[in-house]
Amino acid sequence: MAIDEGHTERANVISGSNPESVLRLVLQGTNTGLWTWNMRSDAVTWSPECYALLGLAPDKVEPTGGVFFDLIHPDDLDRFQQAIATAIEQRVSFHCEFRVVTNDTTKWLENRGRAQYEADGTPFEMIGTVTDITERKLAEQRQHELLTRLEESEARHTSAMMAGGLAAWEYDVRTGRNVWDEHLSRLMGVPADSAAPMADNWLDFVHPGDRPRVEAEFQAALNGAEQFVSEFRVRRLDGAVRWFASVAAVLRAPDGSVTRVAGVVQDLTERHTAAEKLARADAQVRAERDLLAQLLDAIPIIVTRYDASVSRVLVNRQFTATLGWTSDDLLRQSAMELCYPDPAIRAEASAFMERVNDGWREVPTRTKDGRVRQVLWSNIALGSDLRVGVGVDVTEQRNVEQQLETLIAQLKEADRQKDAFLATLSHELRNPLAPILTAAQLLGSPAIDQQKAEWARTVIQRQVRHLGLLLDDLLDAARVTQNKVVLKRTRVDIASVVDAAVESARPLIDRYNHRLVISLPAEPPLLDGDPLRLAQVFANLLTNAAKYTDPGGRIELTAAVTSGALLLEVHDNGMGISAAERSRIFTMFAQLAGTRHRSEGGLGIGLALVKGLVELHGGSVAVHSAGQGQGSTFSVRLPLPTEAGEDAATTSSAHQASSGCRILVADDSRDGADALCLLLELSGHDVRVAYDGVSALALAQSHRPAVAIIDIGMPDLDGYGVARALRAEPWGRSLLLIAMTGWGQDSDKAAARQAGFDEHLTKPVDPGRLEQMVATRQDRTG
């Protein structure tokens, strides 16, 4: 047997040493230090072990109570001091466990001691020990943490079981006994004081409708499976039916035989009830959505619906009919990208669509074929996962509104021009009437001599001619706007047209001392046109240039053949035309701002007449000007004849009567009726005149006219009555009836047709148009 020599040596040392040496060995072995505290002087004595425990050097620190207290952890200092005070006061041993902080290290120390007292009971000294218990404290802390974790784990397990509606059970196969916990007892409605509630077969608690299936599943687990998993209904002791889910492990002996089945049960009743409710609600929602889809498809407005449950945008038939996109299109690509390719509009539309029940917003929406429709959108939420966008296509409405705005602007401008025209017309008619009235008064004076009478007569003739020109312009403008101008086409030399125009404009050009320069091709081409109307066009342009050019100006008229057409230009270095005025210069009654003093008696219809006559010839007219003070150029482009052999004598004027026909004229205006009679007689017709409706009927019975020109507004029997009476006669069925009236609205024309009239003429009657109607009648009967 081996002998521990070191142990023997230590034993010898102890046995041979003095008690102080033995105490020193004990202190070192137990990691303990001795201390004394003189309460009278507050002097403290520490053994070397104390210095080592406190991490202090004996030669650098003077031991005092203050030094020791400074080392104690602040959280433990009060408790330490209170323990000393209590031990002294109650004359008991001092004991305290506390922490000290030295050299950035925290240690746990245990301090024990006892006070010494004088005979009178005054304490004078305390002696004690200090032991390092850090390792013990750490072990206790680890043990405490382990126990805490175990308790927490068990609490969590219990809480989880309770929260999940879980309960534990066990079945002993050999004894056939069932054991279950308190929670399962509560789930089954078993009283807490009931003993062995499942001593019988546990399958007896399974609902009869589920028992065969559960029994088969349980038997299959016993026959070889490792787990038993099943959902089934159970009938509680109070008769209530609950849904359970059970999961159990099959435990076997080493020989493979089953010994126990242990598992848990979870109450799924609330889940099954909620699932049934959810299924019913889901079926109802699907039915409602199907009905909603059918309704949305049937309504004539654009509808999109975003169904969050399927993350898909669906559209109704009207959406596809209006915009072209289908639900499949929107499935393949974002609806926002398809309908709003412009990023700015897409951002605005997307922001609006994110908001629900936020009113209406009009957004330009792109169609599948690339067009843009104005759609008024509103976004509505129907539940948490269904959003419906309702859109109304207002494109046509916006177009109509824009057209109405344009029409209103045009009507306002026309009204303004009408007012300006009437003011101008009033002024221009008064100008010649004033000298006519004065001259007429002079002619009526008995004191007037022959020279003054001749002067007065000349003034009246000149002013009457001026009035005639004004009326001619008005009639021409009316004919052009009503498309009633009849061109007498023939092959015409452009040089002769220019000569006639210059002759008309020469007086005004000379009055202003303008220089007129004419440049025509060496061999002027022939035009197919009306020479009188063409001369009127260029006379107006030359007169216009003369009016709006300062005295001593330059006017040029040039002609050149270009691209199968004749281009004639009238250029002046006059006052020019601004861009704004160029856009309306060819409209009726248009006059340049601030130029009324230059109008020379014009009515603002000359350039409109030019445009109309040129277009009747198949040509076009345009104006160019660099601006105010930069002069103007009016360009007229006329087509040249395409075939040299074309009949130059073709004319669209009224056919001349080869022989006259019988005509009845009825008008309560005697001067008008007589003048019209004279005009028709000069054309070779046999004309009879009546001045009222009754006389017209009597004259028609004896004269039997082929043509009757009847004024509508006659006394006693108006023109409608005369027409109906004539149509009632057998010979009157083939009669050409022409209504003659001062009213020319569409409603007036309809009333005339209803009364039996063939044609409708508005006063003043165009002789050429009237001759054309009579000639047509002659061609049909002759």
Side-chain angles (χ1 to χ4, degrees):
M1 182 173 182
I3 299 176
D4 185 350
E5 297 178 355
H7 178 73
T8 303
E9 182 180 356
R10 285 194 297 275
N12 293 335
V13 170
I14 293 175
S15 62
S17 300
N18 57 34
E20 183 177 353
S21 299
V22 173
L23 178 61
R24 183 71 57 197
L25 289 173
V26 172
L27 294 176
Q28 291 175 355
T30 60
N31 203 14
T32 302
L34 294 175
W35 55 272
T36 63
W37 175 31
N38 191 324
M39 298 182 188
R40 295 184 181 131
S41 64
D42 197 29
V44 177
T45 302
W46 290 338
S47 69
E49 290 78 14
C50 284
Y51 283 100
L53 290 175
L54 297 176
L56 301 175
D59 58 344
K60 294 184 179 181
V61 177
E62 184 68 26
T64 64
V67 171
F68 182 68
F69 288 160
D70 288 342
L71 296 175
I72 296 176
H73 194 283
D75 294 341
D76 299 340
L77 181 60
D78 289 342
R79 180 169 53 81
F80 182 84
Q81 291 176 336
Q82 184 63 37
I84 292 177
T86 299
I88 294 173
E89 180 180 353
Q90 297 181 1
R91 291 175 174 260
V92 295
S93 296
F94 164 68
H95 175 248
C96 183
E97 294 180 356
F98 57 93
R99 291 165 293 177
V100 296
V101 180
T102 175
N103 298 328
D104 296 328
T105 302
T106 300
K107 292 182 178 180
W108 275 96
L109 301 180
E110 181 183 44
N111 216 340
R112 294 180 179 272
R114 193 174 183 89
Q116 305 294 320
Y117 299 88
E118 298 284 1
D120 59 0
T122 302
F124 67 90
E125 185 181 43
M126 181 174 279
I127 301 173
T129 63
V130 58
T131 305
D132 187 347
I133 60 172
T134 302
E135 291 185 2
R136 176 169 65 82
K137 279 291 184 180
L138 291 177
E140 290 176 353
Q141 182 178 357
R142 287 193 293 271
Q143 183 180 10
H144 175 72
E145 291 175 351
L146 179 60
L147 290 174
T148 300
R149 286 197 297 270
L150 289 174
E151 291 174 356
E152 291 176 350
S153 176
E154 184 177 356
R156 284 195 300 271
H157 176 72
T158 302
S159 298
M161 293 279 286
M162 295 291 291
L166 297 175
W169 64 274
E170 183 175 324
Y171 171 65
D172 191 328
V173 176
R174 289 169 296 186
T175 64
R177 187 172 183 80
N178 297 291
V179 179
W180 55 10
D181 62 8
E182 294 182 1
H183 186 47
L184 183 54
S185 296
R186 287 194 297 273
L187 291 178
M188 291 298 299
V190 177
D193 56 356
S194 176
M198 289 190 71
D200 297 330
N201 187 357
W202 66 275
L203 288 170
D204 293 341
F205 290 92
V206 179
H207 191 280
D210 298 339
R211 187 179 302 159
R213 173 179 57 82
V214 176
E215 187 173 7
E217 292 171 348
F218 187 70
Q219 192 62 43
L222 296 179
N223 291 338
E226 294 182 358
Q227 278 189 333
F228 164 68
V229 180
S230 182
E231 280 192 21
F232 49 87
R233 290 168 293 174
V234 298
R235 193 181 298 278
R236 289 166 38 111
L237 292 184
D238 58 6
V241 175
R242 310 287 292 183
W243 270 96
F244 280 4
S246 182
V247 177
V250 178
L251 306 177
R252 301 180 184 276
D255 61 359
S257 61
V258 178
T259 59
R260 289 181 301 143
V261 180
V264 294
V265 168
Q266 183 179 16
D267 188 350
L268 300 181
T269 305
E270 299 301 329
R271 183 186 302 177
H272 272 270
T273 302
E276 291 174 358
K277 291 181 179 179
L278 183 61
R280 289 194 298 269
D282 185 58
Q284 182 177 358
V285 168
R286 284 197 300 269
E288 290 175 351
R289 289 189 178 177
D290 291 341
L291 178 59
L292 176 63
Q294 295 174 11
L295 292 175
L296 294 180
D297 277 341
I299 61 177
I301 61 174
I302 301 171
V303 176
T304 65
R305 53 193 187 278
Y306 174 69
D307 194 338
S309 63
V310 295
S311 299
R312 185 177 179 188
V313 176
L314 304 173
V315 300
N316 70 339
R317 293 190 183 95
Q318 188 65 29
F319 186 101
T320 302
T322 304
L323 301 176
W325 306 109
T326 65
S327 295
D328 291 338
D329 294 331
L330 304 185
L331 180 63
R332 289 189 290 268
Q333 191 173 350
S334 165
M336 285 294 169
E337 293 179 359
L338 289 176
C339 297
Y340 309 106
D342 182 83
I345 297 179
R346 182 164 64 248
E348 177 185 354
S350 179
F352 172 69
M353 293 301 179
E354 287 297 323
R355 303 190 297 272
V356 296
N357 307 325
D358 193 28
W360 294 83
R361 182 72 58 83
E362 185 171 327
V363 185
T365 305
R366 187 171 72 100
T367 64
K368 191 170 184 178
D369 58 6
R371 296 176 295 113
V372 175
R373 309 290 294 181
Q374 292 297 126
V375 181
L376 198 61
W377 286 105
S378 183
N379 204 17
I380 305 170
L382 298 179
S384 59
D385 57 355
L386 183 60
R387 181 175 298 176
V388 174
V390 180
V392 179
D393 185 0
V394 295
T395 306
E396 302 305 328
Q397 179 181 342
R398 295 295 177 261
N399 291 339
V400 170
E401 290 174 355
Q402 185 175 1
Q403 292 172 2
L404 284 177
E405 290 176 0
T406 302
L407 182 58
I408 289 172
Q410 291 174 349
L411 289 175
K412 288 181 178 179
E413 176 61 20
D415 187 61
R416 185 196 66 78
Q417 291 179 354
K418 179 262 299 178
D419 291 341
F421 165 72
L422 291 177
T424 302
L425 178 61
S426 176
H427 175 270
E428 297 305 326
L429 289 177
R430 286 192 180 95
N431 279 342
L433 288 176
I436 289 174
L437 180 59
T438 302
Q441 289 175 340
L442 287 174
L443 289 175
S445 174
I448 190 172
D449 57 22
Q450 183 64 29
Q451 182 179 2
K452 291 180 180 179
E454 181 62 25
W455 175 85
R457 186 183 62 79
T458 304
V459 167
I460 291 174
Q461 289 178 339
R462 183 167 60 250
Q463 295 303 326
V464 168
R465 283 197 300 270
H466 181 59
L467 279 174
L469 291 175
L470 290 177
L471 293 176
D472 287 343
D473 282 349
L474 284 173
L475 289 174
D476 285 342
R479 293 188 186 102
V480 169
T481 56
Q482 297 177 21
N483 198 25
K484 292 182 178 180
V485 172
V486 179
L487 297 180
K488 297 181 179 181
R489 291 182 177 272
T490 184
R491 287 297 178 88
V492 57
D493 183 353
I494 190 59
S496 63
V497 171
V498 171
D499 289 341
V502 171
E503 182 179 354
S504 297
R506 177 62 70 180
L508 191 60
I509 294 174
D510 291 344
R511 186 199 307 176
Y512 284 102
N513 197 28
H514 294 317
R515 180 186 176 191
L516 177 62
V517 178
I518 299 175
S519 176
L520 301 178
E523 296 183 2
L526 296 178
L527 292 175
D528 178 20
D530 187 327
L532 181 61
R533 294 302 189 182
L534 290 176
Q536 187 178 1
V537 166
F538 294 106
N540 275 345
L541 292 178
L542 290 172
T543 300
N544 198 66
K547 288 180 183 178
Y548 298 105
T549 300
D550 290 335
R554 177 184 174 90
I555 301 174
E556 298 180 15
L557 191 156
T558 63
V561 176
T562 172
S563 302
L566 180 64
L567 178 65
L568 296 102
E569 293 185 332
V570 176
H571 173 74
D572 63 68
N573 60 351
M575 61 182 297
I577 307 172
S578 67
E581 291 174 322
R582 287 199 300 272
S583 63
R584 63 181 186 87
I585 194 69
F586 292 107
T587 59
M588 193 69 73
F589 314 132
Q591 289 187 341
L592 300 182
T595 61
R596 191 168 298 280
H597 65 286
R598 292 177 178 257
S599 65
E600 293 287 338
L603 298 176
I605 61 178
L607 291 178
L609 187 58
V610 166
K611 182 175 183 294
L613 292 175
V614 170
E615 290 178 349
L616 282 176
H617 283 83
S620 62
V621 61
V623 61
H624 306 278
S625 177
Q628 294 290 343
Q630 303 297 314
S632 306
T633 299
F634 287 85
S635 303
V636 176
R637 185 181 296 273
L638 295 170
L640 294 174
T642 56
E643 297 181 9
E646 188 175 308
D647 183 9
T650 302
T651 175
S652 60
S653 64
H655 295 283
Q656 297 298 319
S658 57
S659 61
C661 65
R662 291 189 303 276
I663 298 176
L664 171 63
V665 175
D667 193 344
D668 61 338
S669 173
R670 290 179 175 269
D671 290 341
D674 293 342
L676 185 56
C677 175
L678 180 59
L679 178 64
L680 292 171
E681 286 179 342
L682 291 175
S683 297
H685 300 295
D686 181 10
V687 186
R688 297 291 186 271
V689 178
Y691 303 115
D692 59 73
V694 176
S695 300
L697 284 179
L699 189 58
Q701 289 291 347
S702 61
H703 188 55
R704 298 288 178 93
V707 178
I709 305 170
I710 309 298
D711 177 40
I712 298 299
M714 293 186 295
D716 298 330
L717 183 63
D718 64 10
Y720 297 138
V722 174
R724 282 191 286 267
L726 292 177
R727 285 297 189 207
E729 297 291 338
W731 57 267
R733 296 172 185 171
S734 61
L735 176 65
L736 174 62
L737 278 178
I738 301 174
M740 183 173 60
T741 176
W743 305 99
Q745 302 298 320
D746 289 341
S747 58
D748 300 317
K749 296 177 181 179
R753 286 194 298 271
Q754 188 175 3
F757 283 101
D758 298 299
E759 300 288 349
H760 185 283
L761 290 178
T762 304
K763 294 180 180 180
V765 174
D766 179 1
R769 176 78 184 280
L770 180 57
E771 288 180 5
Q772 186 178 24
M773 291 179 182
V774 174
T776 302
R777 168 62 177 171
Q778 287 178 276
D779 289 345
R780 189 167 67 244
T781 59

